Amino acid sequence: MTSDNLSFVLRGIEDVVYEQRPIPEIKENEVLVTVKKTGICGSDVHYFVEGRIADFIVKNPMVLGHESSGVISKVGSSVENLKVGDRVAMEPGATCGTCESCKSGRYELCPDIIFAATPPYDGTLGRYYRLPAHLAYPLPDNVTLEDGAMMEPLAVGVHSVSNLGGLRTNQTIAVFGCGPVGLLCMAVAKAIGASRIIAVDIIPARLDFAKAYAATETYLPVKPEEGESKIDYSRRNAANMKKVLNIDDRGKTSIDLVIDASGAEVSIQTGFYIVKSGGTFVQVGMGNPNVTLNLGLLMTKELNYKGSFRYGVHLTFLPYLISYLGS
Ligand SMILES: [Zn+2]
Ligand SMILES: [Zn+2]
């Protein structure tokens, strides 16, 4: 092993540099992974452009990246299930395992989580990354390292659509935003057997991709009018969407689950109008946190409006997904 650990470091807003970092020393229950593939997440971009996400603020230089796979290059003395050379997907969040959140099965809420590229913790965009052995999941031979790096964002989709959204076979879903997370939410809905998967985006090329990938229908929102307020626009947009796609508030043509993977205020507002009475709305996209919402709809439809943060433990995260992909 050389001493080369070139890393991609965020020093401040729109200020990144390649920098040599010391190769991490591992503890007896940890492994050192030579990182091979890393996806760039919306959160990496938020930190790059704004220097923060909600109350997570980049105060010191931080290595970016958390959607990664690689090859084991060193194992701690007490590690039994992994060996040097194993190809693995890396789970980026190490939780305490003992707090109320961890013990209640919602470890994404652990206050002591050490999550890659969430300040103050360094991420995976270096030559090496150190993590507890139980968070490195061996990949079957027919699963590529690229697919291995996709396991974390796919887990975000599973968490939003299944764990929180509770989507079941033959139910209907609308996904606002056709970026990677929106698309993976559609893929999860397809795997569950949703009868309608409606993709919504303002970019037609993204809708085309969504249709070819997992959506059954697409919707291109109407254009805002001069001087129209956002909530007025959203009401008009929702009415048009309902008419064009034959969506009702109840019954077979209603929408059981809305996922907002855009973070755009008008998408969230429109979603409140089109989700069915008694339906569920999961917020996974992160935009301006201060938005105007129609609480009249929230109450009179008895909507379940839920926040989604990263991924959860309910489907045992990576082992389940990897075995699904490998089969
Ligand atoms: Zn991510
Ligand atoms: Zn915990």
Side-chain angles (χ1 to χ4, degrees):
M1 199 185 296
T2 66
S3 61
D4 174 31
N5 186 24
L6 197 64
S7 303
F8 189 60
V9 180
L10 176 70
R11 292 193 297 200
I13 290 176
E14 298 198 14
D15 178 13
V16 284
V17 68
Y18 284 103
E19 207 174 85
Q20 283 293 345
R21 290 287 186 99
I23 295 174
E25 294 292 329
I26 57 168
K27 297 191 193 123
E28 58 176 18
N29 63 340
E30 293 179 334
V31 292
L32 189 68
V33 178
T34 304
V35 183
K36 292 292 188 188
K37 302 288 175 187
T38 297
I40 302 298
C41 180
S43 70
D44 293 309
V45 179
H46 275 292
Y47 286 127
F48 175 71
V49 175
E50 290 137 30
R52 66 183 299 162
I53 292 177
D55 290 336
F56 298 107
I57 301 165
V58 181
K59 292 182 179 141
N60 294 304
M62 176 180 85
V63 180
L64 290 171
H66 63 266
E67 302 172 359
S68 295
S69 65
V71 177
I72 302 273
S73 55
K74 209 176 187 179
V75 295
S77 57
S78 69
V79 176
E80 289 176 349
N81 62 323
L82 295 166
K83 59 182 189 312
V84 171
D86 283 351
R87 299 157 64 251
V88 293
M90 297 146 70
E91 179 171 345
T95 52
C96 81
T98 59
C99 73
E100 182 187 308
S101 298
C102 284
K103 289 217 158 186
S104 68
R106 299 185 73 182
Y107 73 177
E108 67 276 18
L109 302 179
C110 176
D112 297 320
I113 191 168
I114 295 172
F115 202 94
T118 295
Y121 304 109
D122 282 327
T124 57
L125 274 171
R127 298 266 190 253
Y128 299 100
Y129 190 75
R130 159 180 92 108
L131 78 170
H134 69 93
L135 299 182
Y137 303 91
L139 295 169
D141 290 342
N142 62 338
V143 175
T144 64
L145 285 164
E146 282 89 347
D147 286 341
M150 291 288 284
M151 289 300 105
E152 194 269 352
L154 179 58
V156 172
V158 171
H159 189 52
S160 298
V161 174
S162 181
N163 293 348
L164 295 166
L167 189 74
R168 301 175 73 166
T169 306
N170 263 327
Q171 286 193 321
T172 54
I173 178 173
V175 180
F176 287 76
C178 298
V181 168
L183 290 168
L184 289 168
C185 284
M186 294 175 215
V188 172
K190 187 175 175 179
I192 288 171
S195 59
R196 280 182 102 178
I197 303 170
I198 301 171
V200 185
D201 204 287
I202 53 173
I203 301 173
R206 285 192 163 202
L207 291 177
D208 293 342
F209 187 90
K211 186 79 193 290
Y213 182 61
T216 60
E217 293 151 272
T218 61
Y219 177 70
L220 183 70
V222 297
K223 293 251 183 314
E225 280 167 6
E226 189 82 15
E228 189 178 31
S229 73
K230 283 188 175 173
I231 199 81
D232 284 346
Y233 163 77
S234 298
R235 193 183 302 112
R236 185 168 64 84
N237 184 42
N240 183 66
M241 183 173 171
K242 282 176 152 181
K243 199 172 97 196
V244 173
L245 294 179
N246 186 28
I247 294 170
D248 291 307
D249 282 341
R250 290 175 177 75
K252 275 202 169 80
T253 52
S254 63
I255 304 298
D256 295 292
L257 173 64
V258 167
I259 300 277
D260 176 62
S262 75
E265 183 169 11
V266 290
S267 292
I268 306 165
Q269 291 170 340
T270 302
F272 268 51
Y273 283 105
I274 66 130
V275 69
K276 79 174 196 183
S277 197
T280 300
F281 188 127
V282 175
Q283 185 68 45
V284 60
M286 209 177 249
N288 173 11
N290 302 307
V291 299
T292 299
L293 295 176
N294 186 331
L295 294 188
L297 290 172
L298 185 82
M299 289 184 284
T300 56
K301 287 184 170 186
E302 289 200 347
L303 299 182
N304 303 303
Y305 186 39
K306 297 179 171 184
S308 177
F309 188 46
R310 297 173 177 150
Y311 53 83
V313 75
H314 299 52
L315 286 173
T316 59
F317 185 67
L318 290 164
Y320 169 84
L321 296 175
I322 291 167
S323 63
Y324 179 76
L325 211 68
S327 64

